[in-house]
Amino acid sequence: MIITFLHDEPEIYPTPAGGKERFIMNLAYELAKKQQITKINIITRSATLSKKSISIGKKIKLFKYDGYELPRKIIEFCEKSDILSVHLCSFSFPSFLTNKCKVIYHLHDVAYATMDRGSHLDKSIAAFYSAIYSPSKFVTSFYKNLFWWTKNMTPIITIPRGINIHEVNTSMKDCDIYIKRFPLNIKNALDSTDFKLFFPHRLNSFKGEHFLREIIRLLEKRGVQFKIFLPVKDTN
């Protein structure tokens, strides 16, 4: 079986730029362990690749394409692949039918596309897909509620993103050692008895940060003392 991934954002290898890139590479590494998977292609526009193609191990190969050659290359890979896994947010997948290749789409966000940023949401209804994969029940319900008017809704399958406990699970002793390196103001905040809310991604990443304002309003309404921890670029 041959599986091809289609990726449209910069820097997927050697350092994944974000969650989508990390998801694709981790999935490719795991699939490469399967005996029935003979080849894994990754089509990318990655600006960090110095060559047109690069091999990773025996089964994985990255191909760098951009511009007018990209649509033709997508068709060529479709013809020789069994599954095409699409992860596009900047442009829509070409709407052509193929008898051999199953084309699946992965939802990575529920943001609306604008001239300043891409989105996976609108791209999910822009082509003929065999199935759409959703990372959570929330994204699945959002998709169904938004696109209820489509005549033939593509089957959407919820597959929660797993966490490798062998990589992220640490003992309390390790946590204590790490916390000791924090600035004094952060250590004091962690030691407080206030309700603590951890928001682990950028405020401008369009991943539900608008809920933060509502959570703050509810906590203040109930008179709950709270502290919010989140990554910021400055101290303002």
Side-chain angles (χ1 to χ4, degrees), residues 183-200:
L184 183 60
N185 60 335
I186 297 181
K187 285 193 289 186
N188 291 339
L190 288 170
D191 291 336
S192 72
T193 57
D194 294 339
F195 183 86
K196 301 175 186 67
L197 178 63
F198 178 44
F199 200 79

Side-chain angles (χ1 to χ4, degrees), residues 9-216:
E9 294 188 78
E11 197 168 357
I12 188 172
Y13 182 85
T15 304
K20 179 169 71 172
E21 291 73 28
R22 191 173 299 276
F23 172 81
I24 293 172
M25 294 307 301
N26 286 344
L27 183 56
Y29 292 139
E30 290 300 316
L31 289 173
K33 299 175 184 177
K34 306 293 183 181
Q35 187 175 357
Q36 62 269 37
I37 307 297
T38 57
K39 191 174 183 180
I40 299 171
N41 304 307
I42 301 176
I43 305 174
T44 179
R45 300 165 72 182
S46 180
T48 57
L49 290 181
S50 58
K51 299 179 180 179
K52 271 288 186 179
S53 64
I54 181 172
S55 297
I56 306 173
K58 296 181 179 180
K59 293 185 178 181
I60 304 173
K61 192 168 185 177
L62 279 78
F63 298 87
K64 180 180 178 180
Y65 297 116
D66 204 350
Y68 295 111
E69 67 176 338
L70 184 57
R72 180 178 295 275
K73 290 297 180 182
I74 293 174
I75 295 174
E76 290 178 3
F77 275 93
C78 254
E79 291 176 347
K80 60 185 179 182
S81 300
D82 296 290
I83 296 176
L84 181 66
S85 179
V86 182
H87 303 258
L88 299 178
C89 72
S90 62
F91 64 94
S92 297
F93 181 79
S95 293
F96 63 90
L97 297 175
T98 172
N99 294 325
K100 181 177 184 292
C101 183
K102 297 293 184 182
V103 184
I104 59 177
Y105 188 84
H106 291 258
L107 274 172
H108 290 277
D109 61 53
V110 290
Y112 290 101
T114 68
M115 64 179 296
D116 299 316
R117 71 173 189 268
S119 166
H120 296 87
L121 189 61
D122 56 314
K123 310 304 184 297
S124 64
I125 61 169
F128 301 105
Y129 296 113
S130 303
I132 294 175
Y133 286 166
S134 159
S136 70
K137 292 180 179 179
F138 167 76
V139 173
T140 299
S141 62
F142 193 98
Y143 174 87
K144 289 182 176 180
N145 290 334
L146 189 64
F147 299 127
W148 58 268
W149 46 267
T150 55
K151 185 177 180 181
N152 296 310
M153 181 179 287
T154 302
I156 183 166
I157 304 167
T158 305
I159 302 180
R161 300 284 171 83
I163 297 176
N164 189 335
I165 60 174
H166 300 293
E167 292 185 2
V168 301
N169 188 28
T170 56
S171 65
M172 287 306 299
K173 181 179 179 181
D174 294 333
C175 290
D176 290 339
I177 294 174
Y178 186 67
I179 290 173
K180 287 179 181 179
R181 302 175 185 172
F182 286 179
L184 183 60
N185 60 335
I186 297 181
K187 285 193 289 186
N188 291 339
L190 288 170
D191 291 336
S192 72
T193 57
D194 294 339
F195 183 86
K196 301 175 186 67
L197 178 63
F198 178 44
F199 200 79
H201 59 75
R202 303 187 312 275
L203 284 177
N204 62 342
S205 57
F206 309 103
K207 295 183 179 179
E209 57 272 12
H210 57 283
F211 290 117
L212 185 61
R213 190 178 294 108
E214 182 67 14
I215 293 172
I216 292 173

